[in-house]
Amino acid sequence: MPVAQPSKDIVDKLVYANRILYDHGVVDGLGHASVRHETAPGVFLLSCNRAPGMVRRQDIVCYDYDGNAVSDTAERPYLERFIHAEIYRARPDVMAVVHSHSPSVLPFAITNNALKPVFHMSGFLGEGSAHFEIREAGGNTDMLIRSSYLGEALAKSLGHHSCVLMRGHGSTVVGTSLEQAVYRAIYAEVNAKLQLAAQPLGEITFLNKEEAQLSSDMNDGQIPRSWNLWINRLGNIDLDA
Amino acid sequence: MPVAQPSKDIVDKLVYANRILYDHGVVDGLGHASVRHETAPGVFLLSCNRAPGMVRRQDIVCYDYDGNAVSDTAERPYLERFIHAEIYRARPDVMAVVHSHSPSVLPFAITNNALKPVFHMSGFLGEGSAHFEIREAGGNTDMLIRSSYLGEALAKSLGHHSCVLMRGHGSTVVGTSLEQAVYRAIYAEVNAKLQLAAQPLGEITFLNKEEAQLSSDMNDGQIPRSWNLWINRLGNIDLDA
Amino acid sequence: MPVAQPSKDIVDKLVYANRILYDHGVVDGLGHASVRHETAPGVFLLSCNRAPGMVRRQDIVCYDYDGNAVSDTAERPYLERFIHAEIYRARPDVMAVVHSHSPSVLPFAITNNALKPVFHMSGFLGEGSAHFEIREAGGNTDMLIRSSYLGEALAKSLGHHSCVLMRGHGSTVVGTSLEQAVYRAIYAEVNAKLQLAAQPLGEITFLNKEEAQLSSDMNDGQIPRSWNLWINRLGNIDLDA
Amino acid sequence: MPVAQPSKDIVDKLVYANRILYDHGVVDGLGHASVRHETAPGVFLLSCNRAPGMVRRQDIVCYDYDGNAVSDTAERPYLERFIHAEIYRARPDVMAVVHSHSPSVLPFAITNNALKPVFHMSGFLGEGSAHFEIREAGGNTDMLIRSSYLGEALAKSLGHHSCVLMRGHGSTVVGTSLEQAVYRAIYAEVNAKLQLAAQPLGEITFLNKEEAQLSSDMNDGQIPRSWNLWINRLGNIDLDA
C-alpha cells in the first residue's frame, strides 16, 4: 500500500530548506535535509540523489526507516539516507535532520573537539556536540553511512544531543521542526567559526547550561524572522525547476 | 496624545541604515538600528520585529524610554528595544544606536578582550570598547536585554564609550548621527577583523589617545563619501517593499 | 598532417572546466586546465593565453608533447603549457590536468607541508601531495615551467601522486577525466582550507590509506552530482563569447 | 595657462582602475588611484573626493606636485592627494600610484612586519615592503598625509621600493604604468593573505632576490591577461554614471 501523499506545504518547505542551506554555504554539491512525514508513521521525506541547491518538488521521495523508497521514484537515492532513517527511528522527538560538511564545523570533527555555545544563537549546543568515530563501528570504510547498521551507530553517538560531529566526514543536526533543523545547521557553522576565531584570544566564556537552555527556548520563537529572510534571499525561484 | 510624526527623511534614512548593515554582514536575521526622534523628547524610531535586511518604511515604530510604542502599530516589537531605550535615556549625546552580533567582534566579547583602534578609520575606539557581563546584573538569563532593568545595566557598562561588547551575545555602538552609528558598526567589525589577523604577527602599535581623537574628528567629515557608496551598493530598492 | 578535430563535446567540456574553476576561485586571471585529445595520440587540448574565466570555444588549441600547437592558431600560447605536455607524456593514465595558484594550497607549497585527506571528499590525497622545488632543477628562475626540461622535472616530482605542490608558485592536480581533475582542484583547495583551520585545535586524524582509497573510489561515482551543480551555477553563458 | 587636456584613453583607464580596485576589495569607500599626465610635466590625474567604486569620467581632476588642481573643478579634493604628488615628484620612474587600506596588508603595517614575495605573482616585492611611521615625521596626527611635508616624508620612506606600509593607516604601491600599479595593489593584498595563512605552518621559503626579479619582469608581460579579466568582471558599466 503506498504511503499517503505528503502535503504540498511540507514538500515546498523541504525544497526551500535545501536551497537555503546551499545559499548559506552549509552544503555544497553534497549534504541533505529531510523531514518526517506529517501523517505516515515511520516515513520521512528526502530528495533523490541531487545537489541540494538544485532540489525541486519532483525530487522529493518518501523513505521508510530501512531506507527503502515508499513513494514512486525512478531516481537514484542518496547513499546516506540511513543517517536520516536511523535517527528518526531512534529519536521520536526529531522531526527534521540536516547532514552537511559545513566548513567551520569540520575542523572540530577531525580533531575531536566539541562545539560549545559561544552566544545565545547557539543555545541548542548547550550539551556540546557529540562525536562519532566510524572506525569503532565499521573499521576502515569509505566514511559514508551507507547501511542501517552504520546509521544506527551514528544515532547512538548522537544520543540526546542536537548535533553530532562525524570524524573525517562532517556533521548532522536534528530539530523538532524543519525550520529549527535548518536554523541549527546554519548556526552550528556560525558558532564553529566564532569558536575558531576566538581561540587565539584567550579563554572563552561559554554559555552555561542554564543560559544555553533559556537562550534555546527563547530563540525558537524568533526563527520565523530568520526563515522569512532566508526565503527572501533566494529571490524569485521556481520550485519545479 | 500621539507623538509627532517623524519626518520622511529620518524614516527613509533608518530604512537605509538597516539595509546597509545587512548588506555589509554586520547583521544577519537579527540585530537592529535606531535613531532619536527629531522633535519629540524621549522618543526613538526602531523597526518592529523584522530582519534588518527586510525593514520597510511601514515597519518603523516610535518607542519611549520605557520601550512602549508611542505610534500606531499592530506589530510585535523587538524583545531588546530596551538596549536602545536605556542608552537614549542615559546618554543625551547619543542620537543613534546599532546592536549586532557582527562576527569578528564577538570573539572579543566572549574572551573579554577590548577592541582598540588599529587605524584611523576606527579612531572612535580610542578609549577601547567597554565590556558587559549580563550575569552580574541578571544572573543566568536567555542573554537578551529584555527589560528596562537590564537595559540600564548595559547603559551603565557602556558609560561614555562608543562601543560595548556583550559577553555571549554581541555588541552595541552609539553615534551622534545615524550615519555615524552605522559607520561605527561597520568599522568596529573591520577593526576587530584586523586585530584578529594581526595577532600572530607580533605586537600591534595601536593609535594613541591623541591620534585616535584626531582621526575620529577627521573621519566624521568623510562619512558622506562612504554613506553614498553604501546606498549605491544597494541598487534600486523599494523602501516600501 | 593536421590533428583530427576534437569533438564538440570535449571542447565544450573544457570551456566549462575553465569557467567552473574561475567561478570557484581556484584560478584568477592565471591558471589553466587541459584534457587529452580523444583520438590523437600524444595530443592535448588547452586554451591559448587567456584568463580561464573568459575562455571560449575558439580559444581551444591542440598541442603535442613538445608544447607545439598542432591545430590552427594565431594566438599566443600559455608559457607553461609544458606542465601539461610533460605530465601527459609521463603518465599515460592521466586524462586531464589543472594548474592553479589556489589560495589555501599555496601556504603548504611555500612551507613544504603536505596536503593530507581530512575527509572523504579528498580521498584522492591519500598518498599526500608531492612537492616540487624548481631550484633543484633550474636554479634561480622566474618560477615558470617554461620548457620541456622543467616540465619533465615537475612530472618526476609528481610521480604517481594526484597532486604536486610547487614552491613559490602553486600546484597541479591530475585526473582520469576532466570532471575528476576539476573536482580534485576544487577539493584540494577545500581540504587545504580545512587543514589550515584545524591546525590550532590539536592533532588531526587524517583518513588512513584504506579509508582514503575507499572514499576516492566511492566519490568518483558522485562527481556528476557536483558537476551538474557547477554548470548550473554559471547560469546562461555563451561558450562562444 | 591651463594644463593640456588628458587623453580620453587615460581618463577611461583611470576610471576603470578605480572600479577594479573596488571590485577586488582593495579599496572600500576610501583609497585612491592616480596616473601621471601623459604630456604635461609635473601633473597627475586623480579623482575628486569620491568613493573609488563610484568614480566617473567627470570626476577626474589634474593636480600639480603641490596638490593644487590645475584643471577646472568645483569639487572637493582628496585630503591625501599629497601621497601621490610627492611620490611623483620624488620618483620620475613612477607613472601610477595606488593608496589603500587593503585588509590583509594592514596587519603587517601595524605590527611593523614586511611583505615578502611568497610566489612569482608578487615578485615586485623582492626588496620587501618599506615601512612608514608618521609619528617620526609629524608626531601625533590624524594619520593622514594631508600636506606636502608629510607626503615628502612618506616618499622618503618608500625610497626605491614598490610598496610602503603605513602604520595605523594602510599602504601605497607604485608602478611604471596604471595597469601595473593596480596589479601590484591587488597582488600585495593576495601576497599578504598568503603570508598570514602560511605563518602557522612553519618557515616560509620566500623568492630570493633573483627569482623575484625574474618573476617580476616576466609578470609584466602577462598583466594584460588579468587586466582584460578585471574589466570583464565589471560587466556593462557606464563610465559617466
Side-chain angles (χ1 to χ4, degrees), chain D residues 215-230:
Chain D
S215 296
S216 182
D217 293 347
M218 173 276 295
N219 271 325
D220 285 345
Q222 303 290 322
I223 292 178
R225 196 194 326 174
S226 293
W227 183 265
N228 288 341
L229 174 70
W230 298 336

Side-chain angles (χ1 to χ4, degrees), chain B residues 121 124 176-184 187 216-230, chain D residues 29-30 49 76:
Chain B
M121 303 296 288
F124 65 91
T176 57
S177 71
L178 190 52
E179 291 91 333
Q180 197 198 55
V182 169
Y183 171 92
R184 288 178 173 186
Y187 281 99
S216 182
D217 293 347
M218 172 277 294
N219 271 325
D220 286 346
Q222 303 289 323
I223 292 178
R225 194 193 328 172
S226 294
W227 183 265
N228 289 340
L229 174 70
W230 298 336
Chain D
L30 291 292
N49 196 317
R76 203 174 143 192

Side-chain angles (χ1 to χ4, degrees), chain B residues 197-214:
Chain B
Q199 173 109 339
L201 292 182
E203 206 187 338
I204 301 171
T205 303
F206 294 102
L207 300 201
N208 63 31
K209 289 252 164 112
E210 197 180 341
E211 289 172 333
Q213 187 61 57
L214 291 166

Side-chain angles (χ1 to χ4, degrees), chain B residues 13-235:
Chain B
K13 205 183 277 184
L14 185 54
V15 173
Y16 275 122
N18 274 276
R19 307 276 186 110
I20 288 169
L21 290 166
Y22 178 64
D23 183 46
H24 280 73
V26 171
V27 297
D28 53 8
L30 290 293
H32 14 83
S34 69
V35 65
R36 261 188 206 276
H37 195 290
E38 295 156 299
T39 56
V43 175
F44 62 95
L45 285 67
L46 178 71
S47 170
C48 64
N49 195 317
R50 203 168 157 86
M54 294 176 68
V55 164
R56 304 156 303 180
R57 287 184 180 121
Q58 62 264 44
D59 299 315
I60 304 299
V61 180
C62 293
Y63 295 96
D64 66 20
Y65 287 167
D66 297 321
N68 296 319
V70 291
S71 58
D72 278 348
T73 178
E75 300 296 327
R76 203 175 144 192
Y78 288 130
L79 294 172
E80 299 199 288
R81 59 200 179 281
F82 306 96
I83 293 175
H84 305 263
E86 293 299 327
I87 288 175
Y88 288 121
R89 195 199 303 264
R91 290 272 302 265
D93 61 309
V94 168
M95 295 294 144
V97 175
V98 175
H99 168 65
S100 80
H101 314 145
S102 83
S104 305
V105 175
L106 255 158
F108 292 83
I110 64 181
T111 57
N112 201 355
N113 279 280
L115 297 182
K116 291 191 276 183
V118 300
F119 70 156
H120 60 306
M121 303 296 288
S122 41
F124 65 91
L125 291 171
E127 313 255 342
S129 56
H131 192 259
F132 176 67
E133 172 50 83
I134 194 169
R135 281 181 201 159
E136 288 170 10
N140 288 340
T141 64
D142 65 5
M143 312 305 288
L144 296 195
I145 306 297
R146 51 162 70 247
S147 68
S148 297
Y149 172 75
L150 288 168
E152 195 188 340
L154 177 68
K156 205 167 169 180
S157 287
L158 172 65
H160 65 283
H161 291 81
S162 60
C163 175
V164 58
L165 309 189
M166 305 154 78
R167 196 271 305 163
H169 187 161
S171 59
T172 300
V173 298
V174 301
T176 57
S177 71
L178 190 52
E179 291 91 333
Q180 197 198 55
V182 169
Y183 171 92
R184 288 178 173 186
I186 291 173
Y187 281 99
E189 171 66 15
V190 171
N191 194 84
K193 203 166 185 174
L194 291 167
Q195 252 185 282
L196 280 168
Q199 173 109 339
L201 292 182
E203 206 187 338
I204 301 171
T205 303
F206 294 102
L207 300 201
N208 63 31
K209 289 252 164 112
E210 197 180 341
E211 289 172 333
Q213 187 61 57
L214 291 166
S215 296
S216 182
D217 293 347
M218 172 277 294
N219 271 325
D220 286 346
Q222 303 289 323
I223 292 178
R225 194 193 328 172
S226 294
W227 183 265
N228 289 340
L229 174 70
W230 298 336
I231 299 275
N232 184 265
R233 274 173 61 100
L234 297 175

Side-chain angles (χ1 to χ4, degrees), chain C residues 8-87:
Chain C
K8 190 177 163 302
D9 269 11
I10 196 76
V11 169
D12 284 5
K13 204 182 278 184
L14 185 55
V15 173
Y16 274 121
N18 274 277
R19 308 277 186 109
I20 288 169
L21 290 165
Y22 178 64
D23 183 48
H24 279 73
V26 171
V27 296
D28 53 8
L30 291 291
H32 13 84
S34 69
V35 64
R36 261 189 207 275
H37 194 289
E38 296 155 298
T39 55
V43 175
F44 62 96
L45 284 68
L46 179 72
S47 170
C48 64
N49 196 317
R50 202 168 159 86
M54 294 177 68
V55 165
R56 304 155 302 178
R57 285 183 181 122
Q58 60 265 42
D59 299 316
I60 304 299
V61 179
C62 292
Y63 295 97
D64 65 21
Y65 286 167
D66 296 321
N68 297 318
V70 290
S71 57
D72 277 349
T73 179
E75 300 296 326
R76 201 175 145 192
Y78 289 131
L79 294 172
E80 299 198 288
R81 58 200 181 280
F82 305 97
I83 293 175
H84 304 262
E86 292 299 325
I87 289 176

